[in-house]
Amino acid sequence: MKKILVTGGAGFVGSHLCKRLVKNKNEVICVDNLYTGYRSNIYELLNHPNFQFILHDITFPLYIEVDEIYNLACPASPIQYQKNPVQTIKTSVIGTINMLGLAKRTNAKFLQASTSEIYGDPKVHPQTEDYWGNVNPIGIRSCYDEGKRCAETLCMDYNRQYKIDTKIARIFNTYGSNMDTNDGRVISNFIVQSLKNKNITIYGDGHQTRSFCYIDDLIDALIKFMRTKNFIGPLNIGNSDEFTIEDLAKKIIEFSSSKSVLVYKKLPIDDPKQRKPNITNAKKFLEWNPQINLDIGLKKTIEWFKKKLTEV
Ligand code: NAD
Ligand code: UDP
């Protein structure tokens, strides 16, 4: 039985990962400071004999014994990571140094949850892993984008200097159950607005694009990536079907039989105009391909939010 640490394990992605790893008969330690995560996301695991929750901030050292580390801790929604930008960058830089230090001491494999944001507002489309990106180093998104870029550098240097088996997963927009209703990301915002028949808030003209990956597909890829040996990547992980934000809004209105109407708001600063991963490498090296298309994934996610909203 492997002992696996998931930092940020009470968040959206982390909670799904913890559940899958416990299901796969691993011993899982979830570390989270509950900044954007919730105990309710891991509620069904709390009494499981192979699961342990530690309330801890990874910007402080952690002394435990583990075989694998998934470093997911970091708020992912622009609204959340911009609330306390200094803490965001500390989490990606100091937190990642602490977790890589733990990997070094325990000789654990280490997977970093990086992001498509490291490409910034990309001038190469679709984005391939060899593209270095177009990132504003001093803007309001920089605490997240540059923090994650630095975390990638750290993974490369700990590999070159200390031979740690690090892996860099560049995750593109992912959605599904356990997203926070107030998280501010586009899919959760639009679904909650639709289900409440409120105005759908499109930022800008809605012609900007994103490619959305269903959570189960992402979890499959992360676990397959961790199983590789001495393979760092970086690897793009996402769904390569590209949609405008306006199209996304229309689908969500249709699938939730909503009376909502679209309203157009100011586009946030440095909001990327287009995003679509080239996933040739993930397909080849992980033998992985996303299985859930946007229509199916949205319908499942809408059902989950419907239940969630009736509980509140
Ligand atoms: P999330 O905000 O739901 O989860 C992040 C978790 O990390 C939360 O539980 C939060 O409390 C915890 N956390 C934050 N700072 C911490 C700290 N200093 N110490 C301990 N715990 C801390 O976000 P998510 O969508 O689950 O994203 C998980 C990871 O995946 C993040 O690193 C994010 O950058 C990356 N990612 C996510 C997406 C996506 O679309 N969801 C896309 C690209 C990258
Ligand atoms: N967006 C929007 N309305 C919302 C929330 C987001 O139009 O209520 C837009 C946002 O400006 C961006 C896209 O949707 O162009 C994706 O935003 P999100 O915050 O989900 O992720 P990111 O910008 O990090 O890809």
Side-chain angles (χ1 to χ4, degrees), residues 11-13 32-33 35-36 57-58 72 144 148 171 174 185:
F12 160 50
V13 177
D32 204 297
N33 66 353
Y35 178 60
T36 50
D57 185 324
I58 63 158
L72 270 53
Y144 183 75
K148 290 284 185 179
I171 303 170
T174 301
R185 280 180 275 189

Side-chain angles (χ1 to χ4, degrees), residues 235-254:
L235 269 191
N236 287 342
I237 300 181
N239 189 313
S240 52
D241 298 340
E242 185 182 13
F243 298 90
T244 67
I245 294 304
E246 213 171 40
D247 285 343
L248 174 74
K250 287 177 185 162
K251 276 182 185 289
I252 292 176
I253 291 176
E254 184 195 331

Side-chain angles (χ1 to χ4, degrees), residues 42-140:
I42 46 167
Y43 188 70
E44 68 219 63
L45 291 175
L46 289 172
N47 289 324
H48 195 287
N50 294 337
F51 182 80
Q52 189 188 349
F53 174 69
I54 304 176
L55 182 63
H56 176 82
D57 185 324
I58 63 158
T59 61
F60 297 95
L62 178 69
Y63 295 94
I64 55 174
E65 302 302 317
V66 286
D67 302 305
E68 292 178 355
I69 302 169
Y70 289 86
N71 190 34
L72 270 53
C74 186
S77 138
I79 289 177
Q80 296 298 342
Y81 71 62
Q82 286 165 22
K83 269 190 193 156
N84 190 343
V86 173
Q87 171 67 10
T88 299
I89 200 156
K90 272 188 184 171
T91 296
S92 283
V93 179
I94 301 174
T96 302
I97 291 175
N98 285 333
M99 294 306 104
L100 281 164
L102 177 61
K104 181 173 165 238
R105 183 176 60 75
T106 56
N107 200 25
K109 283 178 154 186
F110 184 94
L111 184 146
Q112 172 64 17
S114 189
T115 166
S116 50
E117 293 285 333
I118 67 104
Y119 299 120
D121 191 6
K123 292 190 189 301
V124 168
H125 193 74
Q127 292 77 57
T128 43
E129 287 93 347
D130 56 2
Y131 176 48
W132 290 355
N134 175 38
V135 178
N136 177 358
I138 55 169
I140 54 168

Side-chain angles (χ1 to χ4, degrees), residues 49-293:
N50 294 337
F51 182 80
Q52 189 188 349
F53 174 69
I54 304 176
L55 182 63
H56 176 82
D57 185 324
I58 63 158
T59 61
F60 297 95
L62 178 69
Y63 295 94
I64 55 174
E65 302 302 317
V66 286
D67 302 305
E68 292 178 355
I69 302 169
Y70 289 86
N71 190 34
L72 270 53
C74 186
S77 138
I79 289 177
Q80 296 298 342
Y81 71 62
Q82 286 165 22
K83 269 190 193 156
N84 190 343
V86 173
Q87 171 67 10
T88 299
I89 200 156
K90 272 188 184 171
T91 296
S92 283
V93 179
I94 301 174
T96 302
I97 291 175
N98 285 333
M99 294 306 104
L100 281 164
L102 177 61
K104 181 173 165 238
R105 183 176 60 75
T106 56
N107 200 25
K109 283 178 154 186
F110 184 94
L111 184 146
Q112 172 64 17
S114 189
T115 166
S116 50
E117 293 285 333
I118 67 104
Y119 299 120
D121 191 6
K123 292 190 189 301
V124 168
H125 193 74
Q127 292 77 57
T128 43
E129 287 93 347
D130 56 2
Y131 176 48
W132 290 355
N134 175 38
V135 178
N136 177 358
I138 55 169
I140 54 168
R141 291 175 87 103
S142 313
C143 60
Y144 183 75
D145 301 5
E146 296 290 15
K148 290 284 185 179
R149 285 168 70 93
C150 181
E152 288 201 2
T153 309
L154 287 164
C155 289
M156 293 307 295
D157 284 335
Y158 270 73
N159 174 271
R160 284 186 285 249
Q161 197 171 334
Y162 301 118
K163 308 285 174 260
I164 307 299
D165 189 356
T166 51
K167 287 141 200 332
I168 300 169
R170 288 186 181 154
I171 303 170
F172 283 64
N173 299 60
T174 301
Y175 67 100
S177 59
N178 287 5
M179 290 187 95
D180 185 5
T181 45
N182 297 316
D183 162 288
R185 280 180 275 189
V186 67
I187 290 199
S188 46
N189 266 11
F190 285 3
I191 293 181
V192 171
Q193 290 164 345
S194 280
L195 291 175
K196 293 184 171 174
N197 292 313
K198 290 191 169 164
N199 290 342
I200 304 274
T201 53
I202 304 243
Y203 301 158
D205 60 11
H207 295 162
Q208 71 270 37
T209 68
R210 293 293 187 274
S211 307
F212 300 100
C213 183
Y214 188 64
I215 184 68
D216 293 356
D217 283 328
L218 172 68
I219 299 299
D220 289 344
L222 294 180
I223 291 175
K224 280 183 170 228
F225 196 3
M226 185 61 103
R227 283 189 191 139
T228 63
K229 214 169 158 12
N230 298 318
F231 175 57
I232 311 180
L235 269 191
N236 287 342
I237 300 181
N239 189 313
S240 52
D241 298 340
E242 185 182 13
F243 298 90
T244 67
I245 294 304
E246 213 171 40
D247 285 343
L248 174 74
K250 287 177 185 162
K251 276 182 185 289
I252 292 176
I253 291 176
E254 184 195 331
F255 297 156
S256 50
S257 309
S258 171
K259 297 189 182 73
S260 295
V261 293
L262 307 184
V263 295
Y264 294 82
K265 304 260 177 191
K266 208 168 152 254
L267 187 70
I269 297 166
D270 292 336
D271 198 281
K273 285 181 264 318
Q274 52 181 1
R275 188 181 289 153
K276 166 188 164 100
N278 176 315
I279 53 171
T280 309
N281 285 332
K283 284 181 180 170
K284 180 174 160 198
F285 293 109
L286 304 184
E287 293 179 353
W288 166 87
N289 204 8
Q291 300 297 309
I292 311 277
N293 69 29

